[in-house]
Amino acid sequence: MHAFRPLPFEDSVGAWVPHGRFQLAASASGPLDGLRFAAKDLFDVAGHRTGAGNPDWLATHGPAPAHSAVVDTLLRAGATLAGKTITDELAYSIHGENVHYGAPRNTRAPDRVTGGSSSGSAAAAAAGLCDFALGTDTGGSTRVPASYCGLWGLRTTHGRLSAAGLVPLSPLYDTATWLAVDADVFARVGDVLMTGEAARPWRGAIVLQDAREQADDAFQPLVDRVAALAAGMLAAPVPAVRASSAGLETWRATYITLSAQDAWRTHGEWIEATRPRFAPAVEGRWRAAASVDAGAAARAAALRDDLRAELRALLGEDRFAILPSASSAALRRDADAATVDRVRAQTFRITSLAGLAGLPQVSIPFLGEDGLPYGVSVLGPAGSDLALIRLARELGARAGALGTAGARAVAQ
């Protein structure tokens, strides 16, 4: 029997779902002793309902019989769970606003959104209410909030972490991830969740020119700074190359087609039976997902294989790429729908690279000259997650990234 206790702090940023305001002690002592984490409300916690950002999902699903594999590993490693945080509905957005539970507050840019769908996790970590927070990344749902909120975040190699006990969006592209303010904490979590990775000496780096062309001007000096440091570390030039001969709109469209078909295959039966209440933008995505033509999906799948092979060949086994984590700073909370859609499309042209190719990507947090957070990412070969985290920490420390000068105090 699991003993749930109230949260020992006030949710000052609106990050927690109403049914997620509980605390669960670690189940053993280990390398994460003394750390507190929150879990996006897609991760199962035994004896507790998983809401997936939608009250109708919450009402039609009973308490979880067991912890998700990731939550269980963290509890066994000594970390304390501080409840469940808001997610965009069924993770089908990168904006960070939930019509049912609200938009968590971005403490680094209070007039702007957190990004989604790991919105509550990003808000909680950025506010210092937990040491790290679990998220997921399908099309950018951790990398975008990391960039918007000035956090360390990543997309793991597809399949590297278990999806057991995790509400899916699109299993073809879903990954379990985490966010943290402090680089050392971020790395400690990686060492617990991922083991058995062979050493990987980096012998080359590139800047993905077509990805940086999708990003606002504020990203450019930050990308240049990271590239210059990488060149110094490698004692070799870091050329700018294009990620793909097909163009990044092809990547975006291919990802959208395949992930939508997969999402409808995963949830269509429940949606048709339940008729859940969705926000208009999310409702529109589900309608589009339901209408994906089988022929178009087959063509997209064939194209995906070619795109995936092209990017993996570009990186090989010992090369990493540098690129923006998103296309813009966090949008203003009152941004109009047209702006949200435009930025979403631009961002997906960047984030779909790692998504379609199943590759790991770590976002390094910076403050731009305008005082807003921006993420610059390193993208690596499949299975290079821990090596990529170590690389990102070294580059971040040399570049003066956020969270590289010691742990931040966490609310008691």
Coordinates of all heavy atoms in Angstrom, one line a residue, residues 195-269:
T195 N 21.8 3.0 -18.4 CA 23.0 2.4 -18.1 C 23.5 1.5 -19.3 O 22.8 1.3 -20.2 CB 22.9 1.4 -16.9 OG1 21.9 0.4 -17.2 CG2 22.4 2.2 -15.6
G196 N 24.8 1.1 -19.2 CA 25.3 0.2 -20.2 C 25.7 0.9 -21.5 O 25.9 0.2 -22.5
E197 N 25.9 2.2 -21.5 CA 26.3 2.9 -22.7 C 27.8 2.9 -22.8 O 28.5 3.3 -21.9 CB 25.8 4.3 -22.7 CG 26.1 5.1 -24.0 CD 25.5 6.5 -24.0 OE1 24.3 6.6 -23.7 OE2 26.3 7.4 -24.2
A198 N 28.4 2.4 -23.9 CA 29.8 2.4 -24.2 C 30.3 3.8 -24.3 O 29.6 4.7 -24.8 CB 30.1 1.6 -25.4
A199 N 31.6 4.0 -24.0 CA 32.2 5.3 -24.2 C 32.2 5.7 -25.6 O 32.3 4.8 -26.5 CB 33.7 5.3 -23.7
R200 N 32.0 7.0 -25.9 CA 31.9 7.4 -27.3 C 32.8 8.7 -27.5 O 32.4 9.8 -27.1 CB 30.5 7.7 -27.6 CG 30.2 8.1 -29.1 CD 28.8 8.4 -29.4 NE 27.9 7.3 -29.0 CZ 27.4 6.4 -29.8 NH1 27.7 6.5 -31.1 NH2 26.6 5.4 -29.4
P201 N 34.0 8.6 -28.0 CA 34.8 9.8 -28.3 C 34.2 10.5 -29.5 O 33.9 9.9 -30.6 CB 36.2 9.2 -28.6 CG 35.9 7.8 -29.1 CD 34.7 7.3 -28.4
W202 N 34.0 11.8 -29.3 CA 33.5 12.6 -30.4 C 34.6 13.1 -31.3 O 35.6 13.6 -30.9 CB 32.8 13.9 -29.9 CG 31.6 13.5 -29.0 CD1 31.5 13.6 -27.6 CD2 30.3 13.0 -29.4 NE1 30.3 13.2 -27.2 CE2 29.6 12.8 -28.3 CE3 29.8 12.6 -30.7 CZ2 28.3 12.3 -28.3 CZ3 28.5 12.1 -30.7 CH2 27.8 12.0 -29.6
R203 N 34.5 12.8 -32.6 CA 35.5 13.2 -33.6 C 35.1 14.2 -34.6 O 36.0 14.6 -35.4 CB 36.0 11.9 -34.3 CG 36.6 10.9 -33.4 CD 37.3 9.8 -34.1 NE 38.1 8.9 -33.2 CZ 37.6 7.8 -32.6 NH1 36.3 7.5 -32.8 NH2 38.3 7.1 -31.8
G204 N 33.9 14.7 -34.5 CA 33.5 15.7 -35.5 C 32.2 16.3 -35.0 O 31.4 15.8 -34.2
A205 N 31.9 17.5 -35.6 CA 30.6 18.3 -35.3 C 30.2 19.1 -36.5 O 31.1 19.5 -37.3 CB 30.8 19.2 -34.1
I206 N 29.0 19.3 -36.6 CA 28.4 20.2 -37.7 C 27.3 21.1 -37.1 O 26.8 20.8 -36.1 CB 27.8 19.3 -38.8 CG1 26.8 18.3 -38.3 CG2 28.9 18.6 -39.6 CD1 26.1 17.5 -39.3
V207 N 27.1 22.2 -37.8 CA 25.9 23.0 -37.5 C 24.9 22.7 -38.6 O 25.2 22.7 -39.8 CB 26.3 24.5 -37.5 CG1 25.0 25.4 -37.4 CG2 27.3 24.8 -36.4
L208 N 23.7 22.5 -38.2 CA 22.6 22.2 -39.2 C 22.0 23.5 -39.7 O 21.2 24.1 -39.0 CB 21.5 21.3 -38.6 CG 22.0 19.9 -38.1 CD1 20.8 19.1 -37.6 CD2 22.7 19.2 -39.3
Q209 N 22.5 23.9 -40.9 CA 22.2 25.2 -41.4 C 20.7 25.4 -41.7 O 20.1 26.4 -41.4 CB 23.0 25.5 -42.6 CG 22.8 26.8 -43.3 CD 23.2 28.0 -42.4 OE1 24.0 27.9 -41.5 NE2 22.5 29.2 -42.6
D210 N 20.1 24.3 -42.2 CA 18.7 24.5 -42.6 C 17.8 24.6 -41.3 O 16.8 25.2 -41.3 CB 18.2 23.3 -43.5 CG 18.8 22.0 -43.1 OD1 19.5 21.9 -42.1 OD2 18.5 21.0 -43.8
A211 N 18.3 23.9 -40.2 CA 17.5 24.1 -38.9 C 17.7 25.5 -38.4 O 16.7 26.1 -37.9 CB 18.0 23.0 -37.9
R212 N 18.9 26.0 -38.4 CA 19.0 27.4 -37.8 C 18.3 28.4 -38.7 O 17.9 29.5 -38.2 CB 20.5 27.7 -37.6 CG 21.3 28.0 -38.9 CD 22.8 28.3 -38.6 NE 23.0 29.5 -37.7 CZ 24.1 29.9 -37.2 NH1 25.2 29.2 -37.5 NH2 24.2 31.0 -36.5
E213 N 18.1 28.1 -40.0 CA 17.4 29.1 -40.8 C 15.9 29.2 -40.4 O 15.2 30.2 -40.7 CB 17.5 28.7 -42.3 CG 18.8 28.9 -42.9 CD 19.0 28.3 -44.2 OE1 18.0 27.7 -44.7 OE2 20.1 28.5 -44.8
Q214 N 15.4 28.2 -39.7 CA 14.0 28.2 -39.2 C 13.9 29.0 -37.9 O 12.7 29.3 -37.5 CB 13.5 26.8 -38.9 CG 13.4 25.9 -40.2 CD 12.4 26.5 -41.2 OE1 11.3 27.0 -40.8 NE2 12.7 26.4 -42.4
A215 N 15.0 29.4 -37.3 CA 15.0 30.0 -36.0 C 15.1 31.5 -36.0 O 15.8 32.0 -36.9 CB 16.0 29.4 -35.1
D216 N 14.6 32.2 -35.1 CA 14.7 33.7 -35.0 C 16.2 34.1 -34.8 O 17.0 33.3 -34.4 CB 13.9 34.2 -33.8 CG 12.4 34.1 -34.1 OD1 12.0 33.8 -35.2 OD2 11.6 34.3 -33.1
D217 N 16.4 35.4 -35.1 CA 17.8 35.9 -35.0 C 18.4 35.8 -33.6 O 19.6 35.6 -33.5 CB 17.7 37.4 -35.4 CG 17.4 37.7 -36.8 OD1 17.5 36.7 -37.6 OD2 17.1 38.8 -37.2
A218 N 17.6 35.8 -32.6 CA 18.2 35.7 -31.2 C 19.0 34.4 -31.0 O 19.9 34.4 -30.1 CB 17.1 35.8 -30.2
F219 N 18.6 33.3 -31.7 CA 19.3 32.1 -31.6 C 20.7 32.1 -32.2 O 21.6 31.3 -31.8 CB 18.5 30.9 -32.3 CG 17.4 30.4 -31.5 CD1 16.1 30.9 -31.7 CD2 17.5 29.4 -30.5 CE1 15.0 30.5 -31.0 CE2 16.5 28.9 -29.8 CZ 15.2 29.4 -30.0
Q220 N 20.9 32.9 -33.2 CA 22.1 32.8 -34.0 C 23.4 33.0 -33.3 O 24.4 32.2 -33.4 CB 22.0 33.8 -35.2 CG 20.7 33.6 -36.1 CD 20.3 32.2 -36.4 OE1 21.2 31.3 -36.7 NE2 19.0 31.9 -36.4
P221 N 23.6 34.1 -32.5 CA 24.9 34.2 -31.7 C 25.1 33.0 -30.7 O 26.2 32.7 -30.4 CB 24.7 35.5 -31.0 CG 23.3 35.8 -31.0 CD 22.7 35.2 -32.2
L222 N 24.0 32.5 -30.2 CA 24.1 31.4 -29.3 C 24.6 30.1 -30.0 O 25.5 29.4 -29.5 CB 22.8 31.1 -28.6 CG 22.3 32.3 -27.8 CD1 20.9 32.0 -27.2 CD2 23.2 32.7 -26.6
V223 N 24.0 29.8 -31.2 CA 24.5 28.7 -32.0 C 26.0 28.9 -32.3 O 26.8 27.9 -32.3 CB 23.6 28.5 -33.2 CG1 24.2 27.5 -34.2 CG2 22.2 28.1 -32.9
D224 N 26.3 30.1 -32.7 CA 27.7 30.4 -33.1 C 28.7 30.2 -31.9 O 29.8 29.6 -32.1 CB 27.9 31.8 -33.6 CG 27.3 32.0 -35.0 OD1 27.1 31.0 -35.7 OD2 27.0 33.2 -35.3
R225 N 28.2 30.6 -30.7 CA 29.1 30.4 -29.5 C 29.3 28.9 -29.2 O 30.5 28.5 -29.0 CB 28.4 31.0 -28.3 CG 29.2 31.0 -27.0 CD 28.5 31.4 -25.8 NE 27.7 32.6 -25.9 CZ 26.9 33.1 -25.0 NH1 26.7 32.4 -23.9 NH2 26.2 34.2 -25.2
V226 N 28.3 28.1 -29.3 CA 28.4 26.7 -29.1 C 29.3 26.0 -30.1 O 30.2 25.2 -29.8 CB 27.1 26.0 -29.0 CG1 27.2 24.5 -28.9 CG2 26.3 26.5 -27.8
A227 N 29.1 26.4 -31.4 CA 29.9 25.9 -32.5 C 31.4 26.2 -32.3 O 32.3 25.4 -32.6 CB 29.4 26.4 -33.8
A228 N 31.7 27.5 -31.9 CA 33.1 27.9 -31.7 C 33.7 27.0 -30.6 O 34.9 26.6 -30.7 CB 33.1 29.3 -31.4
L229 N 33.0 26.8 -29.5 CA 33.5 26.0 -28.4 C 33.7 24.6 -28.8 O 34.7 23.9 -28.5 CB 32.6 26.1 -27.2 CG 32.6 27.5 -26.5 CD1 31.4 27.6 -25.6 CD2 33.9 27.7 -25.8
A230 N 32.8 24.0 -29.6 CA 32.9 22.7 -30.1 C 34.2 22.5 -31.0 O 34.9 21.6 -30.9 CB 31.7 22.2 -30.9
A231 N 34.4 23.5 -31.8 CA 35.6 23.5 -32.7 C 36.9 23.5 -31.9 O 37.8 22.8 -32.2 CB 35.6 24.8 -33.6
G232 N 36.9 24.3 -30.8 CA 38.0 24.3 -29.9 C 38.2 23.0 -29.2 O 39.4 22.5 -29.0
M233 N 37.2 22.4 -28.7 CA 37.3 21.1 -28.0 C 37.8 20.0 -28.9 O 38.5 19.1 -28.5 CB 35.9 20.7 -27.5 CG 35.4 21.5 -26.3 SD 33.7 21.2 -25.8 CE 33.8 19.4 -25.4
L234 N 37.3 20.0 -30.2 CA 37.7 19.0 -31.2 C 39.0 19.3 -31.9 O 39.5 18.4 -32.6 CB 36.6 18.8 -32.2 CG 35.2 18.3 -31.6 CD1 34.1 18.5 -32.7 CD2 35.3 16.9 -31.2
A235 N 39.4 20.5 -31.8 CA 40.6 21.0 -32.6 C 40.3 20.7 -34.1 O 41.2 20.3 -34.8 CB 41.9 20.3 -32.1
A236 N 39.1 21.0 -34.5 CA 38.7 20.8 -35.9 C 37.6 21.8 -36.2 O 36.8 22.2 -35.4 CB 38.2 19.4 -36.1
P237 N 37.5 22.2 -37.5 CA 36.4 23.1 -37.9 C 35.1 22.4 -37.7 O 34.9 21.2 -37.8 CB 36.7 23.4 -39.4 CG 37.6 22.2 -39.8 CD 38.4 21.8 -38.6
V238 N 34.0 23.3 -37.5 CA 32.7 22.8 -37.4 C 31.9 23.4 -38.6 O 31.4 24.6 -38.5 CB 32.1 23.2 -36.0 CG1 30.6 22.8 -36.0 CG2 32.8 22.6 -34.9
P239 N 31.8 22.7 -39.7 CA 31.1 23.3 -40.8 C 29.6 23.4 -40.7 O 29.0 22.6 -39.9 CB 31.5 22.3 -42.0 CG 31.7 21.0 -41.3 CD 32.3 21.3 -39.9
A240 N 29.0 24.3 -41.5 CA 27.6 24.4 -41.5 C 27.1 23.6 -42.7 O 27.6 23.8 -43.9 CB 27.1 25.8 -41.7
V241 N 26.3 22.6 -42.5 CA 25.8 21.7 -43.6 C 24.2 21.7 -43.5 O 23.7 22.0 -42.4 CB 26.4 20.3 -43.5 CG1 27.9 20.4 -43.6 CG2 25.9 19.6 -42.2
R242 N 23.6 21.2 -44.5 CA 22.2 21.0 -44.5 C 21.8 19.6 -44.0 O 22.5 18.6 -44.4 CB 21.5 21.3 -45.8 CG 21.9 22.7 -46.4 CD 21.1 23.1 -47.5 NE 19.8 23.7 -47.2 CZ 19.7 24.9 -46.7 NH1 20.7 25.7 -46.5 NH2 18.5 25.4 -46.3
A243 N 20.9 19.5 -43.1 CA 20.5 18.2 -42.5 C 20.0 17.3 -43.6 O 20.1 16.1 -43.5 CB 19.5 18.4 -41.4
S244 N 19.3 17.9 -44.6 CA 18.6 17.0 -45.6 C 18.5 17.7 -46.9 O 18.2 18.9 -47.0 CB 17.2 16.7 -45.0 OG 16.5 15.9 -46.0
S245 N 18.7 16.9 -47.9 CA 18.5 17.4 -49.3 C 17.0 17.5 -49.6 O 16.6 18.2 -50.6 CB 19.1 16.4 -50.3 OG 18.5 15.1 -50.1
A246 N 16.1 17.0 -48.8 CA 14.7 17.0 -49.1 C 14.0 18.3 -48.6 O 12.9 18.6 -49.1 CB 14.0 15.8 -48.4
G247 N 14.7 19.0 -47.7 CA 14.0 20.3 -47.2 C 13.3 19.9 -45.9 O 12.6 18.9 -45.8
L248 N 13.3 20.8 -45.0 CA 12.7 20.5 -43.6 C 11.2 20.5 -43.6 O 10.6 19.9 -42.7 CB 13.3 21.4 -42.6 CG 14.8 21.3 -42.3 CD1 15.2 22.1 -41.1 CD2 15.3 19.9 -42.3
E249 N 10.6 21.2 -44.6 CA 9.1 21.1 -44.7 C 8.7 19.6 -45.0 O 7.7 19.2 -44.5 CB 8.6 22.0 -45.7 CG 7.1 21.9 -46.0 CD 6.2 22.1 -44.7 OE1 6.7 22.7 -43.7 OE2 5.1 21.7 -44.8
T250 N 9.5 18.9 -45.8 CA 9.2 17.5 -46.1 C 9.3 16.7 -44.8 O 8.5 15.8 -44.5 CB 10.2 17.0 -47.1 OG1 10.1 17.7 -48.3 CG2 10.0 15.5 -47.3
W251 N 10.3 17.0 -43.9 CA 10.4 16.3 -42.6 C 9.2 16.6 -41.8 O 8.6 15.7 -41.2 CB 11.7 16.8 -41.9 CG 12.9 16.2 -42.4 CD1 13.6 16.5 -43.6 CD2 13.7 15.2 -41.8 NE1 14.7 15.8 -43.7 CE2 14.8 14.9 -42.6 CE3 13.6 14.5 -40.6 CZ2 15.8 14.0 -42.3 CZ3 14.6 13.5 -40.3 CH2 15.7 13.3 -41.1
R252 N 8.8 17.9 -41.7 CA 7.7 18.2 -40.9 C 6.4 17.5 -41.4 O 5.7 16.9 -40.6 CB 7.4 19.8 -40.9 CG 6.3 20.2 -40.0 CD 5.8 21.6 -40.3 NE 5.1 21.6 -41.6 CZ 3.8 21.2 -41.7 NH1 3.1 20.9 -40.6 NH2 3.2 21.2 -42.9
A253 N 6.1 17.6 -42.7 CA 4.9 17.0 -43.2 C 4.9 15.5 -43.0 O 3.9 14.9 -42.7 CB 4.8 17.4 -44.7
T254 N 6.1 14.9 -43.2 CA 6.2 13.4 -43.0 C 5.9 13.0 -41.5 O 5.1 12.1 -41.2 CB 7.6 12.9 -43.4 OG1 7.8 13.3 -44.8 CG2 7.7 11.4 -43.2
Y255 N 6.5 13.8 -40.6 CA 6.2 13.5 -39.2 C 4.8 13.7 -38.9 O 4.2 12.8 -38.2 CB 7.1 14.4 -38.3 CG 6.7 14.4 -36.9 CD1 7.0 13.3 -36.1 CD2 5.8 15.3 -36.4 CE1 6.5 13.2 -34.8 CE2 5.3 15.3 -35.1 CZ 5.7 14.2 -34.3 OH 5.2 14.1 -33.0
I256 N 4.2 14.8 -39.3 CA 2.8 15.1 -38.9 C 1.9 14.0 -39.5 O 1.0 13.5 -38.8 CB 2.4 16.4 -39.5 CG1 3.1 17.6 -38.8 CG2 0.8 16.6 -39.4 CD1 2.8 17.7 -37.3
T257 N 2.1 13.5 -40.7 CA 1.2 12.5 -41.3 C 1.4 11.2 -40.5 O 0.3 10.6 -40.1 CB 1.6 12.2 -42.7 OG1 1.4 13.4 -43.5 CG2 0.8 11.1 -43.3
L258 N 2.6 10.7 -40.2 CA 2.8 9.4 -39.6 C 2.4 9.5 -38.1 O 1.8 8.5 -37.6 CB 4.2 9.0 -39.7 CG 4.6 8.7 -41.2 CD1 6.1 8.4 -41.2 CD2 3.8 7.5 -41.7
S259 N 2.7 10.5 -37.4 CA 2.4 10.6 -36.0 C 0.9 10.7 -35.8 O 0.3 10.2 -34.8 CB 3.1 11.7 -35.3 OG 2.7 13.0 -35.8
A260 N 0.2 11.5 -36.7 CA -1.2 11.6 -36.6 C -1.9 10.3 -36.8 O -2.9 9.9 -36.1 CB -1.7 12.6 -37.6
Q261 N -1.5 9.5 -37.9 CA -2.1 8.2 -38.1 C -1.9 7.3 -36.9 O -2.8 6.6 -36.5 CB -1.5 7.6 -39.4 CG -2.2 6.3 -39.7 CD -1.3 5.4 -40.6 OE1 -0.1 5.3 -40.4 NE2 -2.0 4.8 -41.7
D262 N -0.7 7.3 -36.4 CA -0.4 6.5 -35.2 C -1.2 6.9 -34.0 O -1.7 6.0 -33.2 CB 1.1 6.6 -34.9 CG 1.6 5.5 -33.9 OD1 1.1 4.4 -34.0 OD2 2.5 5.8 -33.1
A263 N -1.3 8.2 -33.8 CA -2.1 8.6 -32.6 C -3.6 8.2 -32.7 O -4.2 7.8 -31.7 CB -2.0 10.2 -32.5
W264 N -4.1 8.3 -33.9 CA -5.5 7.9 -34.1 C -5.7 6.4 -33.9 O -6.6 5.9 -33.4 CB -6.1 8.3 -35.5 CG -7.5 8.0 -35.6 CD1 -8.1 7.0 -36.3 CD2 -8.6 8.7 -34.9 NE1 -9.5 7.1 -36.2 CE2 -9.8 8.1 -35.3 CE3 -8.6 9.8 -34.1 CZ2 -11.0 8.5 -34.9 CZ3 -9.9 10.3 -33.6 CH2 -11.1 9.6 -34.0
R265 N -4.7 5.6 -34.4 CA -4.7 4.2 -34.2 C -4.7 3.8 -32.8 O -5.3 2.9 -32.3 CB -3.5 3.6 -35.0 CG -3.4 2.1 -35.0 CD -2.4 1.6 -36.0 NE -1.1 2.3 -35.9 CZ -0.5 2.8 -36.9 NH1 -0.9 2.7 -38.1 NH2 0.7 3.4 -36.7
T266 N -4.0 4.7 -32.0 CA -3.8 4.4 -30.5 C -5.1 4.9 -29.8 O -5.5 4.1 -28.8 CB -2.6 5.2 -30.0 OG1 -1.5 4.8 -30.7 CG2 -2.4 5.0 -28.5
H267 N -5.7 6.0 -30.1 CA -6.8 6.6 -29.3 C -8.1 6.7 -30.0 O -9.1 7.1 -29.4 CB -6.3 7.9 -28.8 CG -5.2 7.9 -27.8 ND1 -5.3 7.1 -26.6 CD2 -4.0 8.5 -27.8 CE1 -4.2 7.3 -25.9 NE2 -3.4 8.1 -26.6
G268 N -8.2 6.4 -31.3 CA -9.4 6.7 -32.0 C -10.6 6.0 -31.5 O -11.7 6.6 -31.4
E269 N -10.5 4.8 -31.0 CA -11.6 4.0 -30.5 C -12.1 4.7 -29.3 O -13.4 4.8 -29.1 CB -11.2 2.6 -30.2 CG -12.3 1.7 -29.8 CD -11.9 0.2 -29.6 OE1 -10.8 -0.2 -30.2 OE2 -12.6 -0.5 -28.9

